[in-house]
Amino acid sequence: MNALTALKPPAFMHSDYGPALQPHVAETLDDMVSVPLTDFFPDFAPAITSGDPALLEADLERVRAETRASLASVDMSGISADDSVNILASEHGFGLMGGWPYAEMIKTIREVVMERTGCRKIHLRLAIYRGFREADEVAEHFGFNEVFEGRVKGLGPFDQGVEVDTAVGPMYLIKRAFDSAKFIHAYYDDPREMYFNRLLYKSFKSFCMSYARYETRSVYHSMFGNRSGSVIPRALFDSEFIQQRYTFSSVLRTTPMGVIGVDATTDLYAIDRRITKGHLETYGRMQRLFAEIKDCVAIWDGGRWGYYLHGGGLIFGTLLTNHSDAFDLDQPVVAGFMQSPTAPVNFSRNKSLRGVVVNQAWVGAGIPYVTMPFTSPMYIVGEEQAKMWREDPTNPLLMDRAKVVDSLEQGITMACEKGQTDKLIVFDGSYGHLTCSQSMADLLKERAPAVDKLVAEELLPKWLAQRGLS
Amino acid sequence: MATVKFVADYEVEPCIGCKLCDIVCPSGAIRMEARKPIIDDALCIGCGRCVDRCPEDIMWMKEREVPLAVTVLPEEVDQAAVAALLEKAGIEASVSICVCTLTPGSEIAGAIVKGAKNLEEVCAMTGMRSGCGIYCVAPALRLLEAAGCDMTPPGQHRWYPSTLSLYDLSDEVCAKYPDAFIAEDRALFDPDQKYGPLHKENV
């Protein structure tokens, strides 16, 4: 590892949904490098967080300050001292940089609301993906039970629903999310699966996912295209049910460099416009840079679902699907469950991805990579992980194809030989830098100036115009 | 087709009879008797949701001695009826409705033509929802609705009748959200307009 330029990846939370924590790739292999993203794009502004686990407390102090500064101008007149208020949080925020910045924003929201309004009955509702124990793990790890004095509950897609009338018809939200008179939308702006949301009103997505029953999630993902699906979260947000309870939003703002601040206001549409513009400028560059990779082996090395692990601020899923430009709305389908009869897309088939080595990752998010081992060989390090994958019902076909290897090094050797490549890219939760092989670093550095020019002169103006943000 | 390798089991004595395993079971494999779950191995599709949900941590998945193949084969059902049902619902035959088991629309429709009357029976016959249990639900419910099945939601929030599709949106909605690419996506997914005009009652 090139320690001089390396920032350590974030530390992870242990989970029942993942294997025992392993040393990071960056700590294990000597021939990996850590490239600051400013080596690719010198104009990237620095983040307020260092990303260095050793400097976590200083990072969180800056997040606290940013949250307080942003909340200072928020109209909180909708909350009275006698109200009960739910702060709604979503699970992927806890996958950003180890989850601590998002957790700190949430804790600070509670403090400020109490100070400003006198309200004491502030509850945390932790939306989770699928596992019923995720919320308990998150609450314990981040100390929410103590901070919220026990007023913490999880909520998931299988919990009791509440029917909500919307412009598009009845939808079903999770009753527990709205069991207080008011709520605060505490979000983060990780673009994450941009090939689904296309950065079309991404800030609203929680209303049809995290806060929604599984039927509504299914409607959003399976019954619409990945552009037209944007109507569902907006219809929910605009509904009388939500508007009667909504107070304000507070969003943790990021770029591939890390946390850049907090954006809080009552006007979620305004936040969304700011986020979208910022994302196209920064994540857009990284996404197009990843599209320059024509052969590589990816390594999953984090404490969340492999598909959602970050490297250089982008999730692995972006690498998997970057054979299409997800930001270009003229491209009708990038990925999605609803398929065109004339132009079907298999979104787990990127020929540039020659293999995946799983050093550590949670099982359980099957959808994105059920078929991935059919086209990209997978190597699972260690029998403990292999057993988890074998027993994972969301990936019933994966272990029919994936190989179990004894060590990370063995997996990399086999994947590189099979894939005829020496380029490694690691998804270890990193922001601000990318852990990769020297050959990958050389390629990306060589291509970055042209990508920068292409985005600045052609793509960004088009992306912005398509969204009315020119 | 789903190959079910595991089946749910539990320790009887410490079970508190909370019924949560029954409520989250997607295939109707669990029923309660005398405040204890009775698991029908033939109906269990191995999703493990009951194990994850059990507050007492006394359930587990055990490997089946022989994996259970769960499927509705094309030759088992009238394919003309399957095609008619798919068209009425606006669901493509080849699209993977359950993206965990890769069960196509044609097999879900086949299960309904074969006699499935509700979501649980569709799951038990096809293995659908044995994975994440989330994203396949609306298309399956839409097919059940198109077949004229009773869409009254069962008790205890097992499922709600959510069947909205791109093809249902009214002109008013299109006008309210003009930047949602509704017309463009309709043209993409239904180039021949075989799923008809906008309103669900016309489907």
Side-chain angles (χ1 to χ4, degrees):
Chain A
M1 187 71 187
N2 182 348
L4 290 176
T5 56
L7 286 174
K8 279 188 178 178
F12 298 129
M13 175 183 93
H14 172 72
S15 170
D16 284 350
Y17 301 99
L21 297 180
Q22 306 296 315
H24 274 297
V25 171
E27 298 163 331
T28 308
L29 302 181
D30 292 332
D31 52 353
M32 301 295 280
V33 297
S34 175
V35 187
L37 300 189
T38 46
D39 281 11
F40 305 137
F41 303 113
D43 292 342
F44 271 5
I48 65 167
T49 47
S50 69
D52 184 345
L55 302 174
L56 179 64
E57 191 48 46
D59 284 352
L60 297 185
E61 181 56 45
R62 285 189 285 275
V63 171
R64 269 196 296 277
E66 285 286 331
T67 307
R68 282 187 166 275
S70 190
L71 289 174
S73 58
V74 172
D75 177 3
M76 296 186 187
S77 60
I79 301 173
S80 69
D82 295 332
D83 269 333
S84 63
V85 179
N86 284 356
I87 296 177
L88 301 186
S90 298
E91 77 269 25
H92 286 293
F94 301 106
L96 301 178
M97 292 159 265
W100 289 102
Y102 183 54
E104 197 62 30
M105 182 189 80
I106 291 167
K107 294 172 185 175
T108 308
I109 292 170
R110 176 182 178 273
E111 287 174 9
V112 173
V113 172
M114 290 176 74
E115 292 166 9
R116 293 263 307 275
T117 69
C119 179
R120 308 290 300 179
K121 290 180 284 189
I122 301 176
H123 312 263
L124 178 61
R125 296 289 179 258
L126 292 164
I128 50 89
Y129 160 56
R130 180 178 179 272
F132 293 102
R133 300 169 199 200
E134 290 170 36
D136 290 342
E137 292 180 343
V138 167
E140 183 178 344
H141 184 74
F142 294 102
F144 285 132
N145 289 322
E146 293 74 24
V147 169
F148 280 81
E149 298 170 338
R151 296 175 191 268
V152 181
K153 286 182 180 172
L155 49 98
F158 306 108
D159 290 340
Q160 184 176 5
V162 56
E163 184 175 311
V164 174
D165 285 328
T166 76
V168 297
M171 289 285 140
Y172 296 89
L173 297 177
I174 300 166
K175 189 173 184 179
R176 185 182 283 172
F178 304 100
D179 59 1
S180 287
K182 306 285 172 55
F183 78 91
I184 297 163
H185 177 50
Y187 200 44
Y188 47 84
D189 70 352
D190 177 16
R192 221 167 60 247
E193 66 279 62
M194 55 186 78
Y195 35 88
F196 278 145
N197 63 57
R198 309 294 297 274
L199 279 191
L200 268 175
Y201 300 94
K202 166 70 168 57
S203 311
F204 296 81
K205 191 180 168 195
S206 295
F207 290 92
C208 70
M209 293 294 289
S210 297
Y211 313 155
R213 279 273 303 185
Y214 64 79
E215 297 89 348
T216 296
R217 301 181 191 208
S218 178
V219 164
Y220 169 66
H221 266 319
S222 303
M223 304 297 266
F224 285 79
N226 54 21
R227 298 176 301 183
S228 52
S230 67
V231 75
I232 304 296
R234 280 188 286 167
L236 276 159
F237 179 76
D238 294 340
S239 70
E240 188 178 336
F241 178 91
I242 289 296
Q243 289 302 311
Q244 284 176 342
R245 292 162 174 79
Y246 173 72
T247 57
F248 66 89
S249 300
S250 179
V251 181
L252 188 75
R253 293 289 314 274
T254 67
T255 72
M257 295 292 288
V259 176
I260 59 165
V262 172
D263 195 343
T265 174
T266 56
D267 186 351
L268 185 55
Y269 280 94
I271 292 178
D272 189 73
R273 286 192 292 275
R274 289 191 285 270
I275 286 173
T276 303
K277 188 167 185 293
H279 278 8
L280 294 172
E281 290 168 349
T282 57
Y283 287 102
R285 281 177 165 78
M286 284 302 297
Q287 185 224 26
R288 286 297 85 198
L289 184 61
F290 275 13
E292 294 294 312
I293 300 169
K294 302 307 177 194
D295 60 280
C296 73
V297 165
I299 303 174
W300 291 354
D301 186 33
R304 305 289 286 183
W305 303 286
Y307 205 65
Y308 296 111
L309 291 174
H310 295 81
L314 291 186
I315 64 166
F316 166 79
T318 300
L319 177 73
L320 187 63
T321 58
N322 69 2
H323 41 311
S324 297
D325 176 3
F327 293 143
D328 180 2
L329 296 176
D330 289 341
Q331 297 222 29
V333 178
V334 173
F337 304 149
M338 193 160 179
Q339 293 283 304
S340 163
T342 54
V345 174
N346 182 337
F347 65 93
S348 64
R349 188 166 294 162
N350 179 354
K351 291 176 181 172
S352 304
L353 184 67
R354 302 286 175 83
V356 177
V357 180
V358 182
N359 188 43
Q360 53 189 327
W362 292 5
V363 299
I367 288 161
Y369 37 80
V370 164
T371 56
M372 198 171 69
F374 290 78
T375 51
S376 300
M378 289 188 73
Y379 303 87
I380 313 290
V381 178
E383 184 54 36
E384 182 203 353
Q385 282 201 102
K387 183 172 184 294
M388 295 190 80
W389 286 104
R390 282 190 202 100
E391 296 175 357
D392 175 17
T394 67
N395 286 286
L397 308 173
L398 190 141
M399 287 306 292
D400 291 347
R401 295 292 182 98
K403 289 183 169 56
V404 184
V405 293
D406 294 332
S407 66
L408 173 64
E409 290 84 347
Q410 184 189 19
I412 289 172
T413 300
M414 291 174 70
C416 288
E417 281 180 7
K418 176 87 174 173
Q420 302 267 296
T421 181
D422 62 350
K423 298 183 188 68
L424 299 169
I425 182 169
V426 184
F427 292 86
D428 54 7
S430 297
Y431 276 72
H433 67 112
L434 179 69
T435 308
C436 60
S437 62
Q438 186 63 55
S439 56
M440 178 65 83
D442 292 343
L443 170 82
L444 296 179
K445 284 180 186 176
E446 180 211 329
R447 299 294 169 88
V451 168
D452 201 29
K453 187 170 188 293
L454 175 69
V455 171
E457 295 179 1
E458 294 182 30
L459 298 180
L460 183 60
K462 179 171 70 173
W463 295 336
L464 291 169
Q466 289 171 335
R467 293 164 177 81
L469 295 171
S470 294
Chain B
M1 185 183 87
T3 302
V4 182
K5 298 172 182 169
F6 295 89
V7 63
D9 200 358
Y10 77 108
E11 196 176 351
V12 176
E13 192 55 36
C15 174
I16 59 173
C18 68
K19 208 177 175 179
L20 291 173
C21 55
D22 173 17
I23 293 171
V24 298
C25 177
S27 58
I30 300 177
R31 61 187 166 83
M32 301 298 290
E33 274 189 18
R35 291 180 55 81
K36 300 290 181 189
I38 306 296
I39 300 171
D40 185 338
D41 287 5
L43 294 179
C44 176
I45 55 176
C47 71
R49 206 160 298 127
C50 54
V51 175
D52 195 36
R53 190 71 186 94
C54 177
E56 299 301 307
D57 205 13
I58 54 166
M59 298 193 78
W60 63 88
M61 301 303 292
K62 66 179 179 187
E63 195 160 0
R64 289 177 181 268
E65 289 182 12
V66 179
L68 180 67
V70 183
T71 188
V72 175
L73 298 170
E75 54 268 32
E76 293 181 73
V77 289
D78 176 359
Q79 287 303 302
V82 168
L85 180 58
L86 286 163
E87 181 155 344
K88 189 176 180 186
I91 303 284
E92 285 293 317
S94 61
V95 168
S96 292
I97 299 294
C98 176
V99 285
C100 298
T101 57
L102 304 180
T103 307
S106 57
E107 188 173 342
I108 306 296
I112 296 168
V113 169
K114 192 177 177 183
K117 297 294 183 201
N118 54 47
L119 189 61
E120 287 77 11
E121 290 178 5
V122 171
C123 294
M125 289 168 71
T126 65
M128 185 198 105
R129 293 196 76 199
S130 60
C132 77
I134 295 174
Y135 300 110
C136 49
V137 171
L141 288 173
R142 190 172 171 91
L143 284 162
L144 285 161
E145 182 182 53
C149 296
D150 182 7
M151 297 301 286
T152 306
Q156 295 165 317
H157 56 272
R158 291 166 195 267
W159 54 263
Y160 297 101
S162 215
T163 61
L164 182 78
S165 125
L166 172 64
Y167 307 126
D168 300 333
L169 297 184
S170 67
D171 292 340
E172 290 75 17
V173 171
C174 297
K176 184 173 182 180
Y177 298 103
D179 54 354
F181 290 81
I182 294 168
E184 290 86 348
D185 272 2
R186 281 184 62 96
L188 174 74
F189 295 116
D190 185 20
D192 301 326
Q193 299 189 336
K194 64 180 179 178
Y195 301 136
L198 293 170
H199 303 291
K200 186 186 291 188
E201 54 267 34
N202 294 331
V203 172

